Amino acid sequence: MKLKFTISPLFLASILMAATSMYISAEDLTSDSVALKMEKSDTTSGNLISKIIRYFSESNKPKEAKKIDFSIIGGPHYSSDTKFGIGVVAAANYRVDPADTLTTPSFVGLYGDLTTSGSWMVGIKGAHIFPRDRRRIDYAVTTSMEPSDFWGIGYKSGARNADKTKYDDFHVSARANFMWQVSNGFFIGPGIETDYYSAGGDPDNPGLWEGEDRKTFTIGVALKAQLDTRDNLTFPHRGWLLAFSTLACPSWMGNDYAFAMVDINACHYRQVWRGGILAGQFHTALGFGSIPWGILPTFGGSESMRGYYLGRYRDKREADLTIELRQHLFGRNSIVLWTGAATVFDHPDELRWSHILPNVGVGYRWEFKKNTNVRLDFGVGRGTTGFVFSINEAF
């Protein structure tokens, strides 16, 4: 899944002037109340800039009286790949039972992007927490189209930068997991996932797809189990997340490519000194069978090995490790430093020290809402760099 915004460092300066801001709740969503608020706003308009500043200064304060605490932020960005564009990120926190203040709140994030290069993306991602956290539903739906580069399959293909070819990457992805808490912090349940990939355009080197269909549709069933002791889902300060999931896409479900995936994710968070949180993540994805090119395990983008192009290195199996220090500075401002490593491979006997790709980076955090950060990261890898703008932490 591509969840990546690439922006200039000037974004945070321009965002306060360019943002369209609002705050709504379930009680506000009637035509009469909207008209009344608009009329009141017209008669007491005041200064627009001061209203924007006041909005952002209060956006991270919990609104306990509101059923839905919703805010939106957006503005311009630029990169050499996508050129100029407009990105919007929204976040909402809510509780199914407002009286249950001990359970971590549910959240939903919406994002969208449109650029002059012709790329666009819309998506939604969230977790619905039932009262007393007895059940959970986590979900994500993304649709995107982006002029992209394809290096081929395998580590050696990704390392040969001169052989890459351009194509139009159209992707639709949807997944949902339904989990029950069977003991304290331990959840398990089934899921469903579907993906559609299309490599459009007129690639200069179609041989990089190694004869695979450039348009693929897959649907599969999943089983997910996780131990989750994090204090919150969007900006953990302490606790563990140990997650194991399997995905099966058999031919009898209509898949042209029959395969299975195993995904293992281990994260730990702990406070090391005042305002300092040490976070670590180990992740691996193991594929079996005939896996279509768009589903092959990879890394990069906004969630792992930031600074690497998402999808440059892809193969049947992938592993990555990241250690990150998150340090609060003052007010709503924080900084992060991270280091990491990753690789892709087909068989374990292909692993080489020279194939371990390094990653370091620095990032800025601004607390947009309580335990919800807007982040700007700059990552450096082997022969690559990149800016990423997103919401919530990378892991």
Side-chain angles (χ1 to χ4, degrees):
M1 183 190 306
K2 294 187 177 181
L3 298 178
K4 176 183 177 182
F5 295 126
T6 312
I7 71 172
S8 75
L10 296 177
F11 178 82
L12 292 178
S14 64
I15 200 170
L16 293 177
M17 303 297 295
T20 301
S21 308
M22 62 181 172
Y23 177 79
I24 64 172
S25 69
E27 294 88 347
D28 295 332
L29 299 179
T30 66
S31 59
D32 292 340
S33 64
V34 171
L36 178 61
K37 291 188 176 185
M38 290 178 65
E39 180 180 354
K40 183 177 180 181
S41 176
D42 289 340
T43 59
T44 60
S45 58
N47 186 283
L48 176 61
I49 300 302
S50 65
K51 287 186 175 182
I52 293 177
I53 293 174
R54 184 169 63 252
Y55 165 79
F56 282 108
S57 68
E58 297 176 354
S59 65
N60 69 327
K61 297 177 181 178
K63 284 78 174 178
E64 300 296 343
K66 299 292 185 178
K67 293 182 179 180
I68 301 176
D69 182 4
F70 177 79
S71 302
I72 186 168
I73 193 170
H77 63 85
Y78 174 82
S79 78
S80 58
D81 292 328
T82 60
K83 308 306 178 185
F84 288 99
I86 295 292
V88 177
V89 178
N93 297 326
Y94 63 95
R95 297 182 188 275
V96 176
D97 181 5
D100 181 12
T101 59
L102 298 179
T103 301
T104 185
S106 304
F107 77 93
V108 58
L110 302 94
Y111 45 90
D113 195 41
L114 178 65
T115 75
T116 57
S117 70
S119 67
W120 56 267
M121 173 178 59
V122 292
I124 181 173
K125 182 179 182 180
H128 183 79
I129 310 298
F130 288 83
R132 292 184 291 280
D133 209 2
R134 291 178 176 175
R135 298 183 300 278
R136 291 182 176 184
I137 302 175
D138 63 75
Y139 55 90
V141 180
T142 303
T143 303
S144 64
M145 203 296 294
E146 180 180 358
S148 301
D149 292 325
F150 188 73
W151 282 261
I153 300 171
Y155 172 85
K156 292 183 178 179
S157 295
R160 291 194 296 265
N161 192 52
D163 292 342
K164 67 182 180 182
T165 188
K166 293 188 177 298
Y167 73 105
D168 294 330
D169 184 0
F170 180 69
H171 179 209
V172 180
S173 174
R175 66 166 179 80
N177 290 284
F178 309 86
M179 294 183 291
W180 286 261
Q181 184 171 195
V182 296
S183 64
N184 188 27
F186 182 72
F187 299 82
I188 189 169
I192 187 169
E193 183 171 327
T194 181
D195 285 275
Y196 173 77
Y197 279 93
S198 173
D202 188 18
D204 295 331
N205 190 359
L208 293 176
W209 276 267
E210 299 180 4
E212 288 193 22
D213 294 338
R214 283 163 44 195
K215 293 183 179 181
T216 63
F217 174 80
T218 61
I219 184 170
V221 292
L223 177 65
K224 184 175 182 179
Q226 69 178 36
L227 176 65
D228 189 355
T229 64
R230 295 172 295 174
D231 56 334
N232 68 84
L233 304 183
T234 53
F235 183 36
H237 292 64
R238 61 183 180 274
W240 284 89
L241 173 64
L242 304 175
F244 173 87
S245 64
T246 61
L247 174 68
C249 298
S251 58
W252 59 264
M253 294 186 70
N255 295 294
D256 292 331
Y257 296 85
F259 65 96
M261 298 286 295
V262 174
D263 192 277
I264 300 171
N265 191 36
C267 302
H268 182 54
Y269 312 86
R270 61 179 300 176
Q271 185 168 337
V272 289
W273 52 68
R274 183 176 180 180
I277 300 172
L278 189 64
Q281 179 188 50
F282 171 74
H283 170 262
T284 185
L286 309 174
F288 305 90
S290 180
I291 308 174
W293 63 272
I295 308 294
L296 287 170
T298 184
F299 56 79
S302 66
E303 296 184 349
S304 66
M305 299 293 284
R306 285 152 284 174
Y308 282 90
Y309 195 101
L310 180 63
R312 173 170 179 172
Y313 294 91
R314 63 179 84 203
D315 210 330
K316 274 192 173 182
R317 296 169 177 90
E318 179 271 347
D320 61 86
L321 173 68
T322 302
I323 305 295
E324 182 168 289
L325 176 63
R326 302 168 180 174
Q327 179 62 53
H328 176 256
L329 297 178
F330 60 90
R332 297 161 69 175
N333 304 280
S334 301
I335 192 172
V336 305
L337 300 170
W338 79 83
T339 184
T343 192
V344 296
F345 56 97
D346 189 355
H347 299 287
D349 57 10
E350 294 181 356
L351 288 171
R352 302 287 187 275
W353 280 111
S354 60
H355 292 184
I356 304 298
L357 295 162
N359 184 220
V360 295
V362 60
Y364 168 75
R365 301 291 183 270
W366 184 71
E367 189 183 40
F368 176 41
K369 302 183 69 62
K370 183 66 175 177
N371 289 325
T372 300
N373 290 330
V374 174
R375 60 185 172 99
L376 173 62
D377 290 330
F378 176 69
V380 180
R382 183 178 296 172
T384 183
T385 61
F387 280 98
V388 172
F389 170 70
S390 191
I391 194 167
N392 294 329
E393 299 303 316
F395 60 90

